[in-house]
Short mmCIF file of all heavy atoms in Angstrom, two decimals:
data_model
loop_
_atom_site.label_atom_id
_atom_site.label_comp_id
_atom_site.label_asym_id
_atom_site.label_seq_id
_atom_site.Cartn_x
_atom_site.Cartn_y
_atom_site.Cartn_z
N ALA A 1 109.54 116.08 106.96
CA ALA A 1 108.24 116.49 107.38
C ALA A 1 107.35 115.25 107.80
O ALA A 1 106.58 115.34 108.76
CB ALA A 1 107.49 117.13 106.23
N MET A 2 107.61 114.12 107.18
CA MET A 2 106.89 112.90 107.57
C MET A 2 107.29 112.44 108.96
O MET A 2 106.52 112.04 109.83
CB MET A 2 107.10 111.74 106.57
CG MET A 2 106.38 111.98 105.15
SD MET A 2 107.02 110.81 103.93
CE MET A 2 106.33 109.30 104.53
N LEU A 3 108.55 112.58 109.30
CA LEU A 3 109.14 112.31 110.60
C LEU A 3 108.58 113.28 111.57
O LEU A 3 108.06 112.79 112.73
CB LEU A 3 110.71 112.35 110.55
CG LEU A 3 111.27 111.84 111.75
CD1 LEU A 3 111.08 110.26 111.98
CD2 LEU A 3 112.92 111.90 111.71
N ASP A 4 108.61 114.53 111.33
CA ASP A 4 107.94 115.56 112.17
C ASP A 4 106.57 115.32 112.36
O ASP A 4 106.00 115.73 113.53
CB ASP A 4 108.27 117.03 111.59
CG ASP A 4 109.81 117.35 111.62
OD1 ASP A 4 110.53 116.69 112.28
OD2 ASP A 4 110.11 118.38 110.90
N ALA A 5 105.74 114.82 111.40
CA ALA A 5 104.33 114.69 111.55
C ALA A 5 104.00 113.41 112.28
O ALA A 5 102.84 113.13 112.49
CB ALA A 5 103.75 114.66 110.15
N GLY A 6 104.99 112.62 112.75
CA GLY A 6 104.69 111.44 113.64
C GLY A 6 104.80 110.11 113.01
O GLY A 6 104.31 109.11 113.51
N LEU A 7 105.59 109.89 111.93
CA LEU A 7 105.76 108.67 111.32
C LEU A 7 106.40 107.64 112.23
O LEU A 7 105.94 106.48 112.32
CB LEU A 7 106.55 108.80 110.02
CG LEU A 7 106.75 107.45 109.22
CD1 LEU A 7 105.42 106.91 108.69
CD2 LEU A 7 107.68 107.58 108.04
N LEU A 8 107.36 108.07 112.98
CA LEU A 8 108.02 107.10 113.99
C LEU A 8 106.99 106.65 114.96
O LEU A 8 106.97 105.48 115.34
CB LEU A 8 109.18 107.78 114.58
CG LEU A 8 110.08 106.97 115.43
CD1 LEU A 8 110.64 105.72 114.72
CD2 LEU A 8 111.21 107.77 115.99
N ASP A 9 106.22 107.63 115.51
CA ASP A 9 105.26 107.18 116.52
C ASP A 9 104.15 106.26 115.96
O ASP A 9 103.69 105.36 116.55
CB ASP A 9 104.47 108.39 117.05
CG ASP A 9 105.43 109.15 118.09
OD1 ASP A 9 106.35 108.66 118.60
OD2 ASP A 9 105.17 110.36 118.13
N GLU A 10 103.83 106.53 114.72
CA GLU A 10 102.88 105.72 113.93
C GLU A 10 103.33 104.25 113.85
O GLU A 10 102.74 103.19 114.16
CB GLU A 10 102.58 106.27 112.49
CG GLU A 10 101.62 105.34 111.76
CD GLU A 10 101.37 105.98 110.37
OE1 GLU A 10 101.38 107.14 110.18
OE2 GLU A 10 101.39 105.15 109.38
N LEU A 11 104.63 104.16 113.50
CA LEU A 11 105.20 102.80 113.36
C LEU A 11 105.45 102.08 114.75
O LEU A 11 105.15 100.94 114.92
CB LEU A 11 106.80 102.97 112.74
CG LEU A 11 107.50 101.65 112.59
CD1 LEU A 11 106.70 100.68 111.73
CD2 LEU A 11 108.80 101.92 111.90
N ARG A 12 105.76 102.88 115.79
CA ARG A 12 105.71 102.42 117.15
C ARG A 12 104.51 101.76 117.41
O ARG A 12 104.22 100.64 117.97
CB ARG A 12 106.18 103.41 118.14
CG ARG A 12 107.65 103.61 118.18
CD ARG A 12 107.93 104.53 119.38
NE ARG A 12 109.36 104.92 119.47
CZ ARG A 12 109.86 106.03 119.22
NH1 ARG A 12 109.14 107.22 119.10
NH2 ARG A 12 111.20 106.17 119.37
N GLY A 13 103.34 102.53 117.15
CA GLY A 13 101.99 102.08 117.49
C GLY A 13 101.61 100.79 116.69
O GLY A 13 100.92 99.92 117.26
N LEU A 14 102.02 100.68 115.41
CA LEU A 14 101.73 99.53 114.62
C LEU A 14 102.41 98.30 115.15
O LEU A 14 101.81 97.24 115.26
CB LEU A 14 102.10 99.78 113.15
CG LEU A 14 101.23 100.67 112.43
CD1 LEU A 14 101.88 101.14 111.04
CD2 LEU A 14 99.87 100.18 112.18
N ARG A 15 103.70 98.51 115.61
CA ARG A 15 104.37 97.44 116.19
C ARG A 15 103.77 97.02 117.55
O ARG A 15 103.74 95.85 117.84
CB ARG A 15 105.79 97.79 116.47
CG ARG A 15 106.61 97.77 115.11
CD ARG A 15 108.07 97.95 115.29
NE ARG A 15 108.82 97.67 114.18
CZ ARG A 15 110.09 97.50 114.18
NH1 ARG A 15 110.75 97.64 115.35
NH2 ARG A 15 110.77 97.21 113.03
N ALA A 16 103.33 98.00 118.35
CA ALA A 16 102.66 97.65 119.56
C ALA A 16 101.39 96.74 119.33
O ALA A 16 100.98 96.06 120.27
CB ALA A 16 102.30 98.92 120.31
N GLN A 17 100.79 96.95 118.23
CA GLN A 17 99.55 96.19 117.84
C GLN A 17 99.93 94.87 117.30
O GLN A 17 99.08 94.02 116.94
CB GLN A 17 98.71 96.95 116.86
CG GLN A 17 98.04 98.17 117.42
CD GLN A 17 97.32 98.98 116.35
OE1 GLN A 17 96.57 98.39 115.54
NE2 GLN A 17 97.48 100.28 116.23
N GLY A 18 101.17 94.56 117.15
CA GLY A 18 101.63 93.29 116.74
C GLY A 18 101.99 93.21 115.25
O GLY A 18 102.42 92.13 114.76
N TYR A 19 101.98 94.29 114.58
CA TYR A 19 102.46 94.26 113.08
C TYR A 19 103.97 94.28 113.07
O TYR A 19 104.54 94.93 113.90
CB TYR A 19 101.89 95.44 112.45
CG TYR A 19 100.37 95.48 112.33
CD1 TYR A 19 99.62 96.30 113.17
CD2 TYR A 19 99.71 94.51 111.53
CE1 TYR A 19 98.20 96.35 113.12
CE2 TYR A 19 98.28 94.52 111.43
CZ TYR A 19 97.52 95.42 112.28
OH TYR A 19 96.26 95.40 112.12
N THR A 20 104.54 93.41 112.23
CA THR A 20 105.97 93.28 112.12
C THR A 20 106.46 93.73 110.77
O THR A 20 105.57 93.91 109.75
CB THR A 20 106.34 91.86 112.40
OG1 THR A 20 105.95 91.08 111.29
CG2 THR A 20 105.72 91.25 113.66
N ALA A 21 107.76 93.79 110.61
CA ALA A 21 108.38 93.98 109.35
C ALA A 21 108.13 93.00 108.23
O ALA A 21 108.28 93.23 107.07
CB ALA A 21 109.87 94.24 109.48
N ALA A 22 107.58 91.87 108.55
CA ALA A 22 107.24 90.78 107.68
C ALA A 22 106.02 91.26 106.87
O ALA A 22 105.77 90.76 105.63
CB ALA A 22 106.95 89.51 108.29
N LEU A 23 105.27 92.12 107.29
CA LEU A 23 104.10 92.62 106.53
C LEU A 23 104.51 93.53 105.42
O LEU A 23 105.35 94.48 105.68
CB LEU A 23 103.17 93.48 107.47
CG LEU A 23 101.91 93.95 106.97
CD1 LEU A 23 100.96 92.81 106.74
CD2 LEU A 23 101.18 94.87 108.05
N PRO A 24 104.17 93.28 104.18
CA PRO A 24 104.60 94.03 103.00
C PRO A 24 104.60 95.52 103.20
O PRO A 24 105.48 96.29 102.87
CB PRO A 24 103.81 93.51 101.81
CG PRO A 24 103.52 92.09 102.25
CD PRO A 24 103.22 92.06 103.65
N ALA A 25 103.50 95.96 103.73
CA ALA A 25 103.37 97.48 103.96
C ALA A 25 104.32 98.06 104.87
O ALA A 25 104.67 99.11 104.70
CB ALA A 25 101.88 97.72 104.44
N LEU A 26 104.87 97.26 105.80
CA LEU A 26 105.84 97.82 106.70
C LEU A 26 107.30 97.60 106.23
O LEU A 26 108.19 97.97 106.83
CB LEU A 26 105.69 97.14 108.09
CG LEU A 26 104.41 97.48 108.83
CD1 LEU A 26 104.47 97.02 110.25
CD2 LEU A 26 104.12 98.99 108.85
N ARG A 27 107.40 97.24 104.93
CA ARG A 27 108.69 97.15 104.25
C ARG A 27 108.77 98.27 103.33
O ARG A 27 109.70 98.38 102.55
CB ARG A 27 108.87 95.84 103.52
CG ARG A 27 108.97 94.68 104.52
CD ARG A 27 109.51 93.40 103.74
NE ARG A 27 108.53 93.00 102.78
CZ ARG A 27 107.92 91.83 102.72
NH1 ARG A 27 108.11 90.93 103.65
NH2 ARG A 27 107.01 91.55 101.78
N SER A 28 107.78 99.15 103.24
CA SER A 28 107.76 100.26 102.25
C SER A 28 108.64 101.35 102.81
O SER A 28 109.22 101.29 103.97
CB SER A 28 106.36 100.83 102.12
OG SER A 28 105.81 101.24 103.35
N ILE A 29 108.97 102.25 101.91
CA ILE A 29 109.82 103.41 102.24
C ILE A 29 109.35 104.12 103.54
O ILE A 29 108.19 104.45 103.62
CB ILE A 29 110.03 104.35 101.08
CG1 ILE A 29 110.69 103.66 99.94
CG2 ILE A 29 110.86 105.59 101.39
CD1 ILE A 29 110.76 104.36 98.68
N GLY A 30 110.29 104.39 104.38
CA GLY A 30 109.98 105.09 105.61
C GLY A 30 109.80 104.10 106.77
O GLY A 30 110.58 104.18 107.71
N TYR A 31 108.89 103.28 106.61
CA TYR A 31 108.74 102.27 107.64
C TYR A 31 109.87 101.33 107.75
O TYR A 31 110.31 100.97 108.86
CB TYR A 31 107.46 101.33 107.36
CG TYR A 31 106.03 102.00 107.49
CD1 TYR A 31 105.10 101.85 106.66
CD2 TYR A 31 105.82 102.73 108.66
CE1 TYR A 31 103.89 102.42 106.82
CE2 TYR A 31 104.55 103.20 108.92
CZ TYR A 31 103.54 103.14 107.93
OH TYR A 31 102.44 103.63 108.19
N ARG A 32 110.42 101.01 106.62
CA ARG A 32 111.58 100.01 106.66
C ARG A 32 112.71 100.64 107.37
O ARG A 32 113.39 100.08 108.17
CB ARG A 32 111.98 99.69 105.21
CG ARG A 32 113.20 98.78 105.16
CD ARG A 32 113.45 98.42 103.51
NE ARG A 32 113.58 99.57 102.76
CZ ARG A 32 112.87 99.81 101.66
NH1 ARG A 32 111.99 98.84 101.25
NH2 ARG A 32 112.92 100.88 100.96
N GLU A 33 113.10 101.95 106.99
CA GLU A 33 114.24 102.61 107.52
C GLU A 33 114.10 102.92 108.96
O GLU A 33 114.98 102.67 109.75
CB GLU A 33 114.52 103.85 106.71
CG GLU A 33 114.95 103.58 105.28
CD GLU A 33 113.83 103.23 104.32
OE1 GLU A 33 112.66 103.46 104.62
OE2 GLU A 33 114.19 102.66 103.22
N LEU A 34 112.91 103.43 109.34
CA LEU A 34 112.63 103.73 110.73
C LEU A 34 112.53 102.49 111.54
O LEU A 34 112.90 102.47 112.76
CB LEU A 34 111.45 104.57 110.87
CG LEU A 34 111.53 105.96 110.25
CD1 LEU A 34 110.25 106.78 110.36
CD2 LEU A 34 112.68 106.77 110.89
N GLY A 35 112.09 101.42 111.00
CA GLY A 35 112.08 100.08 111.71
C GLY A 35 113.49 99.65 112.00
O GLY A 35 113.73 99.21 113.15
N ALA A 36 114.47 99.89 111.06
CA ALA A 36 115.90 99.57 111.51
C ALA A 36 116.32 100.40 112.72
O ALA A 36 117.10 99.84 113.61
CB ALA A 36 116.77 99.87 110.30
N PHE A 37 115.93 101.65 112.81
CA PHE A 37 116.22 102.40 113.89
C PHE A 37 115.48 101.87 115.29
O PHE A 37 116.25 101.66 116.27
CB PHE A 37 115.73 103.89 113.77
CG PHE A 37 115.65 104.79 115.06
CD1 PHE A 37 116.74 105.14 115.68
CD2 PHE A 37 114.43 105.05 115.65
CE1 PHE A 37 116.75 105.75 116.93
CE2 PHE A 37 114.30 105.79 116.80
CZ PHE A 37 115.51 106.12 117.44
N LEU A 38 114.25 101.50 115.12
CA LEU A 38 113.65 100.91 116.33
C LEU A 38 114.11 99.54 116.76
O LEU A 38 114.15 99.23 117.89
CB LEU A 38 112.08 100.73 116.06
CG LEU A 38 111.21 101.99 115.89
CD1 LEU A 38 109.84 101.70 115.54
CD2 LEU A 38 111.34 102.90 117.12
N ASP A 39 114.74 98.88 115.72
CA ASP A 39 115.42 97.59 116.08
C ASP A 39 116.85 97.75 116.57
O ASP A 39 117.55 96.79 116.96
CB ASP A 39 115.42 96.70 114.78
CG ASP A 39 114.08 96.23 114.36
OD1 ASP A 39 113.13 96.26 115.30
OD2 ASP A 39 113.88 95.91 113.20
N GLY A 40 117.29 99.07 116.64
CA GLY A 40 118.61 99.29 117.17
C GLY A 40 119.70 99.05 116.16
O GLY A 40 120.96 99.02 116.56
N ALA A 41 119.32 98.95 114.87
CA ALA A 41 120.45 98.61 113.85
C ALA A 41 121.13 99.89 113.48
O ALA A 41 122.20 99.85 112.93
CB ALA A 41 119.82 98.00 112.63
N CYS A 42 120.56 101.06 113.79
CA CYS A 42 121.20 102.37 113.32
C CYS A 42 120.57 103.52 114.27
O CYS A 42 119.60 103.27 114.97
CB CYS A 42 120.97 102.63 111.96
SG CYS A 42 119.23 102.87 111.49
N ASP A 43 121.27 104.69 114.17
CA ASP A 43 120.68 105.78 114.91
C ASP A 43 119.67 106.48 113.97
O ASP A 43 119.42 106.11 112.87
CB ASP A 43 121.85 106.77 115.36
CG ASP A 43 122.59 107.33 114.19
OD1 ASP A 43 122.00 107.49 113.02
OD2 ASP A 43 123.73 107.71 114.33
N LEU A 44 118.77 107.42 114.61
CA LEU A 44 117.75 108.06 113.79
C LEU A 44 118.28 108.74 112.64
O LEU A 44 117.68 108.78 111.49
CB LEU A 44 116.97 108.99 114.88
CG LEU A 44 115.72 109.56 114.16
CD1 LEU A 44 114.77 108.44 113.75
CD2 LEU A 44 115.08 110.50 115.30
N GLU A 45 119.42 109.50 112.72
CA GLU A 45 119.91 110.26 111.56
C GLU A 45 120.29 109.42 110.53
O GLU A 45 120.00 109.58 109.25
CB GLU A 45 121.10 111.14 112.05
CG GLU A 45 121.56 112.08 110.98
CD GLU A 45 120.43 113.10 110.42
OE1 GLU A 45 119.68 113.51 111.21
OE2 GLU A 45 120.36 113.19 109.20
N THR A 46 120.83 108.18 110.72
CA THR A 46 121.17 107.24 109.73
C THR A 46 119.88 106.65 109.07
O THR A 46 119.84 106.48 107.86
CB THR A 46 122.00 106.10 110.29
OG1 THR A 46 123.24 106.64 110.80
CG2 THR A 46 122.41 105.01 109.20
N ALA A 47 118.90 106.37 109.88
CA ALA A 47 117.71 105.90 109.38
C ALA A 47 117.00 106.98 108.46
O ALA A 47 116.42 106.68 107.38
CB ALA A 47 116.61 105.54 110.40
#
């Protein structure tokens, strides 16, 4: 449901504003795993 509600788009937007995975909040559950997808480390289903 979080993914369906736009968590991935939210993370894309944060990254577009210059926020990186080095920020503690972006290492939290959901952001961390979807960040791996955005970085090309895995596919969306794996994330």
Side-chain angles (χ1 to χ4, degrees):
M2 290 171 67
L3 191 61
D4 291 343
L7 184 59
L8 188 57
D9 289 334
E10 178 181 322
L11 181 55
R12 281 187 180 117
L14 289 168
R15 285 187 165 196
Q17 293 176 45
Y19 296 104
T20 69
L23 188 65
L26 294 186
R27 290 190 302 238
S28 61
I29 296 174
Y31 287 135
R32 178 181 51 236
E33 294 78 14
L34 294 178
F37 164 70
L38 291 179
D39 293 339
C42 62
D43 60 29
L44 186 56
E45 189 54 42
T46 301

